[in-house]
Amino acid sequence: MRDRRGVNPARGGAPAPLLIVGGAMLWGTTGTSQALLGPSVSSVAVGGLRLLIGTTVLMAAALLKAPRAVREIPRRVPWRWLLAGGLGVAGYQLTFFAGVQRTGVAVGTLIMLTTAPVVAGLLGWLVQRERPGVPWAIGTAVALAGCALLVLGAGASVRGDVGGVLLSVAAGAFFALYVVAGRGVMSRTQDGLAATAWVFLVGLPVVVVPLLWSDLSWAASPRSAVILAWLGIVATAVAYLLYQAGLGGVSAATAATLALAEPLTASVLSVVVLHQPLTPLSLAGIGMVLLGLAGVGVVSSRRRRPARRDPLPRPDAARRS
């Protein structure tokens, strides 16, 4: 059960918006990590290995913690939610990395981030009857405007590649699908670790197939192994676990908007780690993203209703049947 502020007592009372922002901030380290691997490394291969490592870590941890919960997930959670969540995770990995290769990282990311909250809001409205409010729209618009300033401040060049734009839009839609499906999964279980592991396991075959035709010799070096470990364990397993844990306490639209903490983190790391210049536009963008996220998070914490659950059969009714 979750209280009106989007707090989940079963997970120690951590506010759901903070869990989601924490996961998104860890995602924000992926761009810098991939840059450290070098430009010759395939982004699709990195995404596939990242998901393979993350899935292995999540499932191993779930089996060690509560093997019974892992076995019960397919019985407690409808397969439509698991399949939709797995498709969202895997589809995002493939379309996002392919999109940014054709449009540029900054522009492709901005297109994806612009698409995700809108699609998540529409899907949440249609599927879970969660109508986004005016405060969400204002906060999202401010945060998205800040992301645009981050892109302009970085001096990103715009590539007029229609296919790349469509792939980036598809990535945003897949991410929104994961958000909505993740809320459906969390409405049927309190074990976020087992639920996240199953979602990843269902989506894993989609990203493993391209690895069969990829050159993975670069992954054998110690430097690459350390970076892949970070990407798979921290930026994937831990990040998605935090994000999934917070999904039950906020609406789908709010969860997608709070994920805008990802480009904010990526921008800060590019200045600190990659020594890119911090321009006035970038600084203004950081401020606007923080303002938008704070507004959406505060409104969500004050107004969030308990997540709707699908009715479970009563034990006595099951025995009578």
Side-chain angles (χ1 to χ4, degrees), residues 37 40-47 49-50 211 214-225 227-228 231:
L37 286 173
S40 62
V41 176
S42 167
S43 296
V44 175
V46 173
L49 289 174
R50 171 191 176 193
L211 292 179
S214 300
D215 177 17
L216 303 179
S217 58
W218 54 269
S221 70
R223 175 187 175 90
S224 298
I227 295 175
L228 283 174
L231 285 171

Side-chain angles (χ1 to χ4, degrees), residues 4-100:
R4 294 179 60 189
R5 296 173 299 154
V7 174
N8 189 346
R11 295 184 179 87
L18 290 183
L19 291 172
I20 290 176
V21 169
M25 290 179 68
L26 291 179
W27 288 336
T29 66
T30 58
T32 301
S33 299
Q34 290 185 28
L36 294 175
L37 286 173
S40 62
V41 176
S42 167
S43 296
V44 175
V46 173
L49 289 174
R50 171 191 176 193
L51 207 61
L52 178 61
I53 296 171
T55 302
T56 303
V57 171
L58 285 169
M59 186 57 72
L63 288 171
L64 288 173
K65 176 191 174 186
R68 182 179 178 182
V70 175
R71 294 193 300 269
E72 288 181 350
I73 289 294
R75 295 195 293 265
R76 293 181 62 89
V77 179
W79 271 98
R80 67 179 183 273
W81 290 127
L82 293 176
L83 290 173
L87 178 62
V89 169
Y92 169 77
Q93 295 290 329
L94 296 178
T95 55
F96 176 69
F97 290 122
V100 297

Side-chain angles (χ1 to χ4, degrees), residues 14 24 54 90 110 177 192 197 206 218 231 255 260 306 308:
L110 180 61
L177 177 63
V206 178
W218 54 269
L231 285 171
L260 296 177
R308 196 181 75 175

Side-chain angles (χ1 to χ4, degrees), residues 127-144:
V127 177
Q128 296 168 327
R129 301 296 187 268
E130 297 173 339
R131 184 175 182 177
V134 174
W136 168 83
I138 295 174
T140 300
V142 171
L144 287 174

Side-chain angles (χ1 to χ4, degrees), residues 11 27 51 54-59 62 69-70 73 77 82 85-86 89 178 182 185-186 189-204 236-247:
R11 295 184 179 87
W27 288 336
L51 207 61
T55 302
T56 303
V57 171
L58 285 169
M59 186 57 72
V70 175
I73 289 294
V77 179
L82 293 176
V89 169
Y178 159 71
V185 170
M186 293 306 297
T189 179
Q190 292 292 322
D191 197 314
L193 177 58
T196 308
W198 264 100
V199 168
F200 271 59
L201 186 64
V202 170
L204 186 61
T236 301
V238 176
Y240 273 93
L241 183 59
L242 289 173
Y243 196 87
Q244 183 89 17
L247 282 178

